[in-house]
Amino acid sequence: MLETMAEESISNGFIKNPVTGSNPAVVAKKRNLPGTPDPEAEVIALSPKTLTATNRFLCEICGKGFQREQNLQLHRRGHNLPWKLKQRTTKEVRKRVYVCPEKTCVHHHPSRALGDLTGIKKHFYRKHGEKKWKCEKCSKRYAVQSDWKAHSKTCGTREYKCDCGTLFSRRDSFITHRAFCDALAEETARVNAASGMHSLAAENFNYQLMGNPLDTVMPFSTVFNPISSNDEAVDQTRRGFSLWMGQASQGYDSFGKSTLQEIHQFGSLNPGSIYGDPMVSTSNPPVSDYQLNWVFGNKVSSGNVEDHRLSSTSLPFSNVKENGPQLVSVPSLFSTQQQSHQTPAFSMSATALLQKAAQIGATSTDTAFLGSFGTKCSNSQVQDGNKHSDLYVSNTPSDLENSANGISTLNQLQMYPAKRRRMQNEDSGGGGGGGETRDFLGVGVQVICHPSSISGWK
Amino acid sequence: MKLSSAKLSKESKGASPSHGGHHKKSLHSKRPSHCSVLPLRPVDQLEQWPSATVDMYNSDNNHHHHHCHQQQQQQAQTSHTSTSRSSDYLAGGRGDSGEASGAGDKWALRLLKECARAIFDKDSSKVHHLLWMLNELASPYGDCDQKLASYFLQALFCKATESGRRCFKTLTSVAEKSHSFDSARKLILKFQEVSPWTTFGHVAANGAILEALDGESKLHIIDISNTLCTQWPTLLEALATRNDDTPHLKLTVVITENIVRSVMKEISQRMEKFARLMGVPFEFNVISGPNHLGELTKEALGVLEDEAVTVNCIGALRRVSVEERASVIQMFRSLGPNVVTFVEEEADFSTTRHDFVKCFEECLKFYTSYFEMLQESFTATSNEKLMLERECSRSIVMVLACDDDQDNEGECERRERGTQWSERLNQAFSPVGFSDDVVDDVKALLKRYKAGWALAQPHQKETGLYLTWKEEPVVWVSAWKPLKHSQNYRN
């Protein structure tokens, strides 16, 4: 699955945005299927043998093979050819696109051809090849050596930091610790915990940059399917949203205390994904449209409904459009994932957001986005709710400021400002939440997470 | 300390082995209570006992030496914990003492084995001699040999004086008093951080459970263990993230150690909270009633018809008295589980239970390995390591010094090897192999720990996976599914 998405993203990146700044190999998001590749392009169908051949470029003088054309050219210089022969003999060829030789593959058809030779090669290995490269630390397997190398660099280097301040280098001991940590037990830390836990839940996503974001997406997608009532939808989206928070905040391995540095570690992925969304719909004046567009974002505009995963979630939301902002949250999570892929289109705003985030992150307490949000939430609940809701509607730059604190938190506050205030006021005591399953969100998650209601969803 | 209290009570009650001689009584009665246990400066002792065997039985000498030593004992009390002293001792002791003193690295093992044999042979004078020697050399704060000597000495003493039951009860009540959620949590988490002893079984079992229950929407895990639910957070996380539909999980914990009872309330709160955070619909129950696992029923466990059941036993089978094990296994089968996972420590205290010396040697071998593992996994001054060692003392006393006939209230500790468990389990179950992914996960887990650990996959006839420490199998994990009804089990 992942590879499909990755490949699509790569193909999209190469065909649609040849000068994209994003790193396709890192993007593991669901993308819209591309439109047709350049109709003028010459479709090349290489045989598997040719595709996997490592030295395609042969020197006509000595027959030596090279992996890249540039290397061949460099080599040819060494033959001291007369000037005439140094020139490229062929004129500029027209653009080439490549199809996958595997008949059962989506990319076998010329309309789904990939525009880059390296891309098609990697696709072929990833999808149809044997996974020869294995990470020593976590025994994850890869078919493409560069994928494996990239993973190995980050594998095991991720540090997990719990709210209580303990650092872990191992994910499993981090999870186990988290379950028993006192920070988890405290109600006041529930937001942090929630965000953190979401990042935990989304850890798969984080951990494997080229991994399967949709695998982590998937568990929550079905949550949103059977929406029978508005309330349920709201609850679901809230829950899903909160759960998605972590996924959106990819860089945050620590529970609510990830730092900007960690975000930057993930490079463009995080900022794009986190901050891309709000910017998408800046141009849409009506609030409801804004929200809707934000939610569906590129999905709607690109008219893509082919992706079955997204479509499964988009349907319910079309029903609950009228419920307003609250329902937007869930789809936004999906579109969030698309954002990083479409970073070029929104690069300006994403960068601006990131800068804002950096400022805010620097000025806020040392705890980063989610952490600061948590602090805000618990300390100045009402105020934040008001502020956020106002900002949200107005779409002013202060929006950025708040969103810099995490799309998730921003959404939460914006989406459910009234309710959140109410809940937080009620919970000011912090305690056991009246015996209810008041949760990290403190936003009535007890409804969501109550077993009966949960089963009702399914 | 425990030994002295045991000895004190022994004195007060006047109890003594039937074969005790007069000189033994005088030996003990003359000895001030406080100095009978504390490790003395052995070098001093040994110098006065050039020929250890002879002097032991000379009551006059005994009295004389004891009086002499009192002062030294008092001086030595304050410093007996230093390990440098112990190494001094070892160096000094080697040359001076006679046949029974430890020479070389394995003095503790040798002395202990000899003492065990002497007890079995009912050679009281030798028993006294060796017990005394061990007492001098042992310390729960010294190096591995000294620790082993200390804990096994206690068991040997209880065996010799038939005070095992009482000693066990005392140890249990002491442990209960100092047991709290915080201390237990800290202990187990720290242990899991430095050693895969427990996490090995968890990872393998979770992998087997997830694969066997894949696609099920209502899961019921019956956890018979004392792991304080440390196995389940990673499973919950896996359920939350890797499945399209997060199933409903009901976790029923059956605790087999009374000590754990008090903290289960707190554990349940944490687990419920955590499951909420993970977004996994969760129900948690604790069953701590029955002392005999065989008494459990489907109703008592709350097993419902539409649930996919799995039974997860971590160190639980060994707590069942040997005679009841077959019926307990049948009880598991009657619950109709999809998969049953077992994790047990690799040692045989069961077939040897009628042969004291053999059992003793098995026990010593296992705990030597365990203590060495603890020594190398924890830091030298770790409090957790000390607590784990102390926890062993109860098991050791139970296995070596308590009769199986007595109703030990589910505190039996007679371990069996994986092959032996497999024989039993084959009566009601057929083995399920661990998939390559799970094996890979386990291997990756072991890589995260210090060197010395490895995974051993047994040969064809055997089932399960073994965790090996320095190439010795120490923990066994296996997964089973019930035999179909048409398959009759062999008696």
Side-chain angles (χ1 to χ4, degrees), chain B residues 202 209 221-229 231-232 251-257 260 264 285 287 290-294 296-297 301 310-320 328-329 331-332 335 340-344 410:
Chain B
H202 292 178
I209 291 172
I221 297 181
I222 299 172
D223 180 22
I224 311 179
S225 74
N226 298 301
T227 56
L228 305 181
C229 294
Q231 178 175 353
W232 307 119
L251 181 62
T252 302
V253 176
V254 179
I255 55 176
T256 57
E257 241 183 68
V260 173
M264 286 317 288
N285 297 309
I287 295 181
N291 290 321
H292 298 276
L293 284 182
L296 286 173
T297 60
L301 291 167
T310 173
V311 183
N312 181 73
C313 293
I314 312 277
L317 282 178
R318 66 169 181 259
R319 306 189 66 86
V320 177
V328 166
I329 288 172
M331 183 277 290
F332 289 152
L335 300 173
V340 190
T341 49
F342 295 99
V343 177
E344 285 291 340

Side-chain angles (χ1 to χ4, degrees), chain A residues 71-376:
Chain A
N71 299 350
L72 170 62
Q73 297 301 331
L74 267 171
H75 160 82
R76 284 173 83 238
R77 279 193 228 158
H79 284 302
N80 295 322
L81 303 167
W83 180 88
K84 269 193 300 180
L85 295 176
K86 272 194 197 167
Q87 303 283 49
R88 285 185 60 148
T89 51
T90 56
K91 61 181 184 341
E92 205 58 38
V93 296
R94 55 192 180 128
K95 176 148 176 61
R96 286 176 168 174
V97 293
Y98 302 87
V99 289
C100 179
E102 179 65 31
K103 292 191 188 59
T104 57
C105 183
V106 170
H107 292 288
H108 184 67
H109 195 269
S111 67
R112 297 296 312 281
L114 304 179
D116 180 71
L117 179 63
T118 313
I120 192 73
K121 281 168 102 171
K122 281 192 177 172
H123 155 79
F124 184 70
Y125 281 112
R126 281 193 192 123
K127 218 32 205 313
H128 314 296
E130 178 200 340
K131 296 190 174 175
K132 291 185 287 193
W133 305 95
K134 188 175 142 181
C135 173
E136 281 308 309
K137 290 175 202 156
C138 70
S139 66
K140 201 167 149 36
R141 291 199 193 91
Y142 294 94
V144 179
Q145 188 181 14
S146 55
D147 294 348
W148 169 75
K149 269 194 188 167
H151 165 83
S152 298
K153 277 192 198 155
T154 60
C155 183
T157 59
R158 275 240 68 77
E159 288 244 303
Y160 308 91
K161 192 173 170 206
C162 180
D163 267 351
C164 65
T166 326
L167 277 170
F168 296 88
S169 58
R170 289 197 346 240
R171 184 162 166 243
D172 52 344
S173 45
F174 175 48
I175 294 174
T176 312
H177 164 89
R178 199 71 186 87
F180 295 102
C181 185
D182 287 330
L184 175 63
E186 291 164 12
E187 287 299 322
T188 53
R190 65 182 181 277
V191 175
N192 287 342
S195 326
M197 291 314 296
H198 300 312
S199 64
L200 176 68
E203 212 287 326
N204 283 334
F205 187 86
N206 292 336
Y207 188 62
Q208 304 149 15
L209 290 180
M210 298 183 295
N212 303 315
L214 291 177
D215 285 351
T216 50
V217 167
M218 285 310 289
F220 305 108
S221 65
T222 56
V223 167
F224 311 121
N225 281 337
I227 296 178
S228 53
S229 72
N230 287 343
D231 284 343
E232 271 187 6
V234 169
D235 289 341
Q236 281 182 1
T237 55
R238 236 182 278 143
R239 169 177 179 265
F241 184 73
S242 58
L243 290 168
W244 277 94
M245 287 307 106
Q247 295 193 1
S249 58
Q250 300 156 11
Y252 309 126
D253 278 336
S254 63
F255 284 119
K257 289 216 171 166
S258 53
T259 61
L260 277 171
Q261 288 79 21
E262 285 183 15
I263 296 168
H264 289 294
Q265 276 179 11
F266 278 100
S268 61
L269 187 59
N270 286 340
S273 60
I274 294 172
Y275 303 117
D277 272 346
M279 290 305 103
V280 174
S281 41
T282 315
S283 55
N284 301 316
V287 173
S288 56
D289 284 350
Y290 169 97
Q291 295 163 348
L292 188 58
N293 286 333
W294 177 28
V295 171
F296 292 99
N298 310 308
K299 205 167 36 154
V300 170
S301 55
S302 62
N304 166 44
V305 282
E306 283 186 41
D307 180 3
H308 59 282
R309 285 189 192 153
L310 290 178
S311 60
S312 68
T313 55
S314 62
L315 288 174
F317 290 110
S318 59
N319 294 336
V320 298
K321 241 193 227 184
E322 292 69 31
N323 285 338
Q326 296 155 341
L327 304 171
V328 174
S329 59
V330 173
S332 71
L333 293 172
F334 282 106
S335 51
T336 300
Q337 302 216 336
Q338 297 178 11
Q339 286 313 313
S340 59
H341 195 60
Q342 300 182 5
T343 311
F346 310 107
S347 56
M348 293 281 295
S349 37
T351 315
L353 262 180
L354 185 57
Q355 285 168 350
K356 279 282 180 183
Q359 293 168 11
I360 292 158
T363 55
S364 68
T365 60
D366 285 345
T367 63
F369 302 154
L370 301 173
S372 59
F373 169 71
T375 325
K376 273 188 186 175

Side-chain angles (χ1 to χ4, degrees), chain A residues 134 136-139 141 170-172 175-176 179-182 184-185 187 194 197 200-201 204 215 218-219 222 239 243 437-440 449 451 454 458, chain B residues 181 185 189 192-193 228-230 233-234 237 240-241 243-248 267 270-271 273-274 276-279 281-282 440-441 444-445 447-449:
Chain A
K134 188 175 142 181
E136 281 308 309
K137 290 175 202 156
C138 70
S139 66
R141 291 199 193 91
R170 289 197 346 240
R171 184 162 166 243
D172 52 344
I175 294 174
T176 312
F180 295 102
C181 185
D182 287 330
L184 175 63
E187 287 299 322
M197 291 314 296
L200 176 68
N204 283 334
D215 285 351
M218 285 310 289
T222 56
R239 169 177 179 265
L243 290 168
T437 60
R438 209 171 288 278
D439 205 306
F440 41 83
C449 289
I454 286 176
K458 303 190 182 170
Chain B
F181 172 74
R185 168 187 63 173
L189 287 181
Q192 290 180 352
E193 194 185 306
L228 305 181
C229 294
T230 49
T234 42
E237 195 261 351
T241 58
N243 292 329
D244 297 0
D245 287 302
T246 306
H248 179 281
I267 300 272
R270 304 285 174 121
M271 290 304 297
K273 239 187 235 308
F274 186 80
R276 262 205 313 281
L277 279 172
M278 286 282 96
F282 187 67
D440 279 345
D441 282 344
L445 173 82
K447 280 198 197 94
R448 298 180 216 138
Y449 290 99

